[in-house]
Amino acid sequence: MFKKRPILFNYFLFALLSFVLIGTLHAETITLYSGRSKSLVDPIIQQFEKETGIEVKVSYANTTQLAAKLLTEGRKSPASLFWAQDAGALGAVSAEKLFEKLPKSILKKVPKTFHHDDGYWIATSGRARVLAYSPERVKMEDLPESVFDLTQSKWRGKVGWAPLNASFQAFVTAMRAQVGEERAEKWLRDMKANGAKAYPKNTPIIEALAAGEIDLGLPNHYYLFRFKKRDSKYPVEQTFFKAKDVGNIVNVAGIGLLKSSDNKEAALKFIEFLLSAKAQQYFVSEVFEYPVTEGVIPNANLLPLEDLFKIVPTFDLNEMDDLEGTIKLLRRAGIM
């Protein structure tokens, strides 16, 4: 027969179990909709959890899909935060008044160009559109000067793009704002007629260039650096178009606090963490993106910010809220 345990031991065991249970029930949790891929941001999310004890439940998906999901869920969304791959998706959600206005203490951490005019979202890192190419098949002096030159017959069937990708759709939104709906639609139709090859996202564009499927591609700047990190002789290079060309648009990844959040204090801590020196250095050193705050050690692979801003077109990220209009245009042009 088992011996009866002392009353004091039973009391201690009950107290211990109660402490564990209460701690579990009161553990802070936030839900994050992330249009940023897990391979890129999971390490920094884990670091936040480790340092704060706040659990982050992440739902990963395409940025455009998550924006559409939020528009459907509205104020009943289970999400606390939306971390988007581009300003266009943030603008679309902001336009529906689903974001909470961020406090000035957070907004002042970045330049005004890197947050919503009224403070409803804030950038977490910067990314530039570039022209990637095969140096084995295209000489530097033969590269097109403008993104509009890609429709020339000599590039027939030799250009890769990712029309279903959120960053490309944000680029088209920027093009519409820069040159107008009519010219943007003509470019899309001409690219399709010229045999542009569609890929699901940016990474396959880089791989297709190396494999000889295409000679030119339109990705974001940081994808190639990941390949170069593993193999410095990877047979792909990249450059910018001529100064101020719309093909050089600089977009941002950014985040907004949803009004549906049931733990806004913890959610704001996450946003502050993404703007901390530690997180910003991670984006620069490991993800090869541009910082949005000062005091970050530069990455030698990246064009210095002062030089970058000399070649990018003047553009207000707040003009990128018409994601729906871009989707309609892509469908009208037969791209999706």
Side-chain angles (χ1 to χ4, degrees):
M1 295 182 65
F2 296 107
K3 294 182 178 180
K4 292 184 178 180
R5 288 178 293 201
I7 294 176
L8 184 61
F9 177 82
N10 288 334
Y11 175 79
F12 173 77
L13 182 61
F14 174 77
L16 179 62
L17 290 174
S18 297
F19 176 79
V20 172
L21 179 60
I22 292 173
T24 301
L25 290 174
H26 287 80
E28 286 192 287
T29 301
I30 55 176
T31 298
L32 170 68
Y33 280 8
S34 176
R36 310 231 57 197
S37 63
K38 184 175 182 179
S39 62
L40 294 182
V41 302
D42 186 57
I44 205 67
I45 292 174
Q46 289 190 33
Q47 186 66 36
F48 170 78
E49 291 179 317
K50 181 180 178 181
E51 292 189 14
T52 64
I54 298 171
E55 180 186 1
V56 184
K57 295 182 178 179
V58 190
S59 177
Y60 290 103
N62 175 280
T63 285
T64 304
Q65 293 173 342
L66 287 174
K69 184 177 182 180
L70 283 168
L71 296 183
T72 300
E73 292 174 340
R75 300 291 182 91
K76 295 181 180 180
S77 175
S80 297
L81 297 161
F82 177 36
W83 194 0
Q85 184 176 311
D86 64 84
L90 291 167
V93 175
S94 177
E96 293 300 314
K97 305 186 184 305
L98 297 179
F99 283 140
E100 195 79 55
K101 190 171 184 177
L102 296 172
K104 291 182 180 179
S105 60
I106 289 180
L107 295 173
K108 71 180 184 180
K109 293 179 182 291
V110 307
K112 290 183 178 180
T113 53
F114 287 147
H115 66 68
H116 184 270
D117 282 345
D118 295 321
Y120 289 109
W121 58 259
I122 193 166
T124 54
S125 56
R127 54 256 291 279
R129 297 294 293 179
V130 293
L131 174 67
Y133 65 97
S134 166
E136 297 176 356
R137 297 184 297 280
V138 184
K139 295 179 181 180
M140 189 74 177
E141 58 267 27
D142 294 331
L143 290 171
E145 292 188 351
S146 169
V147 70
F148 292 103
D149 294 338
L150 294 175
T151 61
Q152 294 174 355
S153 59
K154 66 178 179 179
W155 303 121
R156 185 178 302 278
K158 296 180 180 181
V159 182
W161 62 355
L164 299 184
N165 183 259
S167 61
F168 177 84
Q169 292 171 2
F171 158 66
V172 173
T173 303
M175 178 183 282
R176 291 170 57 217
Q178 287 273 296
V179 304
E181 193 85 3
E182 185 176 336
R183 191 177 181 193
E185 181 172 350
K186 184 179 187 306
W187 180 78
L188 289 169
R189 291 183 181 278
D190 288 348
M191 285 287 287
K192 181 182 179 182
N194 208 36
K197 295 183 179 179
Y199 295 90
K201 51 186 180 179
N202 290 281
T203 299
I205 292 177
I206 304 298
E207 294 171 333
L209 284 163
E213 294 177 17
I214 52 177
D215 291 350
L216 305 174
L218 294 173
N220 284 338
H221 78 273
Y222 50 87
Y223 288 93
L224 177 58
F225 294 133
R226 297 175 201 163
F227 287 90
K228 293 284 191 180
K229 185 177 183 179
R230 296 193 296 266
D231 178 8
S232 61
K233 296 182 179 180
Y234 197 78
V236 178
E237 299 295 338
Q238 64 187 27
T239 187
F240 290 96
F241 294 103
K242 65 182 179 182
K244 305 303 179 181
D245 188 77
V246 69
N248 300 338
I249 195 76
V250 170
N251 205 336
V252 295
I255 195 165
L257 171 65
L258 292 158
K259 290 181 178 179
S260 58
S261 174
D262 58 3
N263 195 344
K264 292 183 173 64
E265 184 177 348
L268 286 172
K269 287 180 181 178
F270 183 76
I271 296 176
E272 289 182 314
F273 183 77
L274 295 183
L275 299 174
S276 69
K278 179 180 296 184
Q280 287 294 298
Q281 195 64 61
Y282 169 80
F283 294 134
V284 172
S285 301
E286 301 299 325
V287 189
F288 303 103
E289 293 181 314
Y290 288 98
V292 294
T293 64
E294 297 180 349
V296 180
I297 300 172
N299 188 320
N301 293 295
L302 301 178
L303 190 68
L305 280 174
E306 58 268 26
D307 294 334
L308 178 66
F309 287 128
K310 291 177 183 177
I311 63 173
V312 302
T314 302
F315 186 70
D316 184 356
L317 291 171
N318 289 280
E319 295 180 15
M320 296 184 66
D321 60 357
D322 189 18
L323 178 60
E324 183 180 355
T326 292
I327 299 299
K328 289 180 179 178
L329 173 60
L330 291 168
R331 288 173 177 161
R332 190 165 66 245
I335 307 300
M336 62 180 296

